[in-house]
């Protein structure tokens, strides 16, 4: 058997046994980005599985990422949430960065929700805004490079609609009902861990990016490879412009604080979206 498949099976079997004992069957997977772990606190009757306990699983080392699977009830449905994701900049290869998504697919999720903290490259995006991701630009290594795992998906997945139009429409409807303003835009995924230079922010804006971050895109590619519909949302935590004041600096702690402040609105949308699936 392909060793990559063996790793997925080993990790997934451990998680599935925990779920079997708890009598849980998740239908929605959720990836929580920097400072967005608060949504996990809304999950009722949670079963917590630390990444470090899962065989073959990477451990998240990023600021604001706790490193747990949280399984329980949200919006009346059983969900499995990643309280902290794995990043390429942590030194993990793409096989490990996307392993949690493969595990969630093996567990049986029908939908994947992804979230992240991002810099607003578009001048119309301000700190605290919520941006529904309608498309992305990938500047990270593609996680499907290498021999295709045919049992998981096709060699050349279609990415015409990486983010599900029906889920986007439903999220916009929910936001309007709740009086929450949301923007839409294109997410640019870079490697990190440095924040971009002013010239790079200008470049991202010119090529069509609205927000920039260091994650998400590999997870979405793997989800689509496996046929899982995706909904994505960015919390704008800093204005990624190229006309800074002379004393301006990007600060990781500020990013987490801004994400935490906006997490309440994002949680409200995600919870109701889950409820209506």
């Amino acid at each position: 058997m392909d060793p990559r498949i063996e790793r997925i099976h080993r990790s997934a079997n451990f998680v599935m046994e925990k779920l079997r004992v708890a009598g849980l069957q998740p239908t929605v997977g959720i990836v929580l980005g920097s400072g967005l772990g608060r949504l996990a606190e809304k999950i009722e009757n949670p079963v917590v599985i630390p990444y470090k306990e899962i065989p073959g699983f990477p451990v998240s080392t990023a600021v604001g990422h706790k490193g747990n699977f949280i399984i329980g009830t949200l919006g009346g449905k059983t969900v499995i949430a990643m309280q902290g994701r794995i990043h390429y900049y942590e030194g993990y290869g793409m096989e490990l960065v996307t392993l949690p998504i493969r595990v969630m697919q093996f567990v049986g999720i029908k939908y994947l929700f992804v979230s992240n903290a991002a810099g607003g490259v578009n001048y119309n995006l301000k700190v605290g805004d919520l941006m529904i991701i309608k498309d992305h630009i990938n500047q990270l290594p593609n996680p499907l490079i290498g021999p295709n795992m045919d049992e998981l998906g096709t060699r050349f997945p279609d990415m015409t609609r990486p983010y599900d139009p029906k889920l986007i429409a439903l999220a916009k409807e929910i936001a309007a009902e709740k009086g929450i303003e949301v923007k839409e835009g294109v997410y640019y995924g870079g490697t990190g861990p440095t924040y971009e230079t002013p010239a790079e922010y200008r470049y991202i804006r010119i090529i069509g990016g609205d927000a920039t971050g260091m994650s998400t895109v590999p997870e979405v590619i793997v989800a689509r490879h496996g046929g899982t519909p995706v909904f994505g949302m960015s919390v704008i935590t800093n204005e990624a412009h190229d006309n800074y004041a002379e004393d301006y600096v990007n600060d990781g702690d500020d990013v987490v604080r801004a994400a935490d402040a906006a997490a309440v609105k994002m949680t409200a949308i995600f919870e109701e979206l889950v409820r209506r699936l």
Side-chain angles (χ1 to χ4, degrees), residues 10-11 14 24 29 67 70 77 105 109 120 125 137 140 151 153-154 159 163 192 196 200 202 211-212 223 256 259 272:
R10 190 163 65 250
S11 297
F14 180 88
L24 297 172
I70 311 288
K77 294 186 172 64
Q105 288 176 318
I109 63 167
L125 293 173
I137 298 169
L140 286 147
E151 55 266 64
T154 182
M159 294 295 286
Y163 302 87
E196 292 85 353
E200 288 168 335
R202 187 162 57 251
T212 179
V256 172
E272 186 61 24

Side-chain angles (χ1 to χ4, degrees), residues 25-213:
Q25 175 54 63
T27 57
V28 180
I30 304 173
V31 183
L32 300 173
S34 300
L36 299 173
R38 179 173 293 183
L39 186 147
E41 298 171 8
K42 294 280 290 183
I43 297 175
E44 299 173 355
N45 304 313
V47 173
V48 180
I49 306 176
Y51 297 160
K52 62 184 179 182
E53 294 182 3
I54 304 172
F57 220 73
V59 177
S60 177
T61 65
V63 174
H65 293 250
K66 291 188 177 180
N68 299 311
F69 271 136
I70 311 288
I71 304 98
T73 304
L74 181 74
K77 294 186 172 64
T78 302
V79 303
I80 177 168
M82 290 180 65
Q83 194 178 27
R85 57 159 47 91
I86 313 301
H87 299 82
Y88 181 68
Y89 66 71
E90 295 175 78
Y92 294 114
M94 278 300 166
E95 178 188 346
L96 291 179
V97 169
T98 58
L99 177 62
I101 308 304
R102 296 293 193 192
V103 168
M104 288 195 285
Q105 288 176 318
F106 267 69
V107 164
I109 63 167
K110 306 300 181 187
Y111 302 92
L112 179 69
F113 293 179
V114 294
S115 67
N116 58 59
V121 180
N122 187 316
Y123 289 122
N124 294 323
L125 293 173
K126 306 302 179 185
V127 173
D129 281 351
L130 300 179
M131 186 191 85
I132 293 173
I133 305 174
K134 63 181 181 181
D135 203 346
H136 66 233
I137 298 169
N138 184 31
Q139 290 297 305
L140 286 147
N142 193 302
L144 303 184
I145 291 173
N148 187 51
M149 293 182 279
D150 294 333
E151 55 266 64
L152 302 185
T154 182
R155 169 76 282 188
F156 301 107
D158 175 47
M159 294 295 286
T160 306
R161 300 172 191 84
Y163 302 87
D164 190 81
K166 292 181 180 178
L167 293 177
I168 290 173
L170 183 55
K172 290 165 66 175
E173 179 182 316
I174 291 167
E177 291 172 1
K178 293 182 175 295
I180 299 173
E181 182 182 7
V182 292
K183 308 288 181 65
E184 284 185 80
V186 175
Y187 177 84
Y188 174 100
T191 65
T194 54
Y195 291 109
E196 292 85 353
T197 69
E200 288 168 335
Y201 285 141
R202 187 162 57 251
Y203 164 75
I204 293 168
R205 189 182 308 113
I206 288 169
I207 67 172
D210 295 295
T212 179

